[in-house]
Amino acid sequence: MSTPTIPKTARAALIESFGPLTFKEDHPVPQPTDLKPGECLVKIDYAGVCHSDIHVSEGGWGPMQMPRIAGHEGIGHIVAIAEHTANSPVKVGDRVGIKWLARVCLNCEFCRTGKESACAQSLTHSSGFRVDGSFSDYVVSYVDYVTPIPENLDSAAATPLLCAGLTIYKALKQTNPQVGNWVAIPGAGGGLGHLGVQYAVAMGLRVIAIDTGDVKRDLVMSLGAEKWIDFKQTTDLAKDVKEATGGLGVHAAIIASGNPEPFTQALYYLRPAGTLVAVGLPSGGAAMQVPIGWLVTFSLHIIGTAIGNRQDVAEALEIAARGKVKCHHEIRDFKEVNQAMADVNAQKVAGRIVLKF
């Protein structure tokens, strides 16, 4: 394969100060000779817009080195690999994905046991926060951590699976899913939630979708949810969930919310020995309001999760490649990145926004 022509400058959306991103047409592009062994240069085709991108750009994740290219979901093609890179699992021309974790060491106890997000190197290699991310025509990444994309997956639809899909799939795996078990997914009509409904159904789980509005109800029911509860219409959410499951409650609840209320509610509609998976933490460090005796008496399990490992993302993409999961998304031009982030923040988007480069 001939070596692609790599320009000296290209487009990038940067965090130069907390607030809207700075869109540049002439941002310097790393050249092949600039790459260190183990690094590769990826020409981005699509990048997903995630709530975390908004939080980072607004300062919600704390201080950071600026300027920083934003974004952490991207799919493109490798256009260069550094000289002296040994035993690369990918080659120039391969289609690969960029994830929230840009790199881990692959050698520590956490990496060896599949807990890659606990690796010390992961804390310094979060895309769009600690290292440059995917909101750029060209991104430097690592040959041993980019994700090969299955051939029959559409790039635009697959891009959000690298974060939203991976995150919710990992959360479901944490429940030790058994065919026929009930799982509740608050926010089921959102970016993570609608993917969670599909992954849960693919696992053989029975889904109670919790959200509000006819549009989201129709969406999640079309995706295979068995029961629907509108949290704005119900007067007793926990009671409604228990009634929907024959009285005992759900085996598991997947909570991906910045509000502590869904966490607290879930503890009252889980069946004894049920599992609550907290995807991230309530904003502001707000605590769940439930007596500790309740947790002990009913032997409830609380598990925290943030992101999956290389095996998890391979599984999540393979399930999608078999047609079991499809991300509902709309495509915007890369130049519209700030408007796209504003629309996501204002909850004006059904599913996800994917930027086209």
Side-chain angles (χ1 to χ4, degrees), residues 66-77:
M66 302 180 192
R68 173 72 66 218
I69 298 173
H72 64 273
E73 298 173 345
I75 288 181
H77 291 79

Side-chain angles (χ1 to χ4, degrees), residues 42-227:
V42 180
K43 172 67 178 73
I44 296 294
D45 299 320
Y46 293 93
V49 177
C50 177
H51 271 103
S52 294
D53 298 321
I54 298 167
H55 296 158
V56 170
S57 68
E58 292 179 341
W61 286 59
M64 59 185 294
Q65 184 178 356
M66 302 180 192
R68 173 72 66 218
I69 298 173
H72 64 273
E73 298 173 345
I75 288 181
H77 291 79
I78 295 176
V79 294
I81 293 176
E83 290 187 21
H84 309 298
T85 295
N87 303 317
S88 174
V90 292
K91 63 184 185 301
V92 171
D94 283 358
R95 185 172 61 142
V96 297
I98 308 293
K99 307 179 293 297
W100 167 248
L101 296 186
R103 192 184 195 189
V104 296
C105 78
L106 301 176
N107 293 312
C108 69
E109 174 188 339
F110 299 112
C111 288
R112 293 195 304 269
T113 57
K115 303 178 181 69
E116 294 171 7
S117 61
C119 171
Q121 195 169 110
S122 74
L123 302 178
T124 60
H125 284 76
S126 43
S127 298
F129 182 45
R130 297 303 186 197
V131 297
D132 285 336
S134 56
F135 287 175
S136 179
D137 282 315
Y138 291 88
V139 175
V140 174
S141 195
Y142 304 88
V143 297
D144 57 5
Y145 211 71
V146 290
T147 298
I149 306 300
E151 185 175 342
N152 60 330
L153 264 182
D154 173 73
S155 290
T159 298
L161 302 182
L162 295 167
C163 180
L166 169 60
T167 298
I168 202 73
Y169 175 70
K170 178 66 171 185
L172 287 162
K173 285 182 67 176
Q174 297 283 58
T175 70
N176 187 27
Q178 306 293 317
V179 173
N181 278 7
W182 284 102
V183 61
I185 303 179
L192 268 73
H194 87 285
L195 294 171
V197 171
Q198 295 175 78
Y199 278 118
V201 171
M203 292 174 172
L205 300 175
R206 304 175 72 182
V207 178
I208 294 182
I210 302 171
D211 214 319
T212 187
D214 293 345
V215 172
K216 291 186 177 181
R217 178 200 62 202
D218 293 346
L219 171 62
V220 299
M221 297 306 287
S222 73
L223 297 177
E226 197 164 328
K227 302 286 185 178

Side-chain angles (χ1 to χ4, degrees), residues 258-276:
N259 187 323
E261 186 175 8
F263 291 82
T264 300
Q265 292 171 333
L267 295 175
Y268 288 99
Y269 62 65
L270 282 164
R271 67 177 57 200
T275 301
L276 184 156

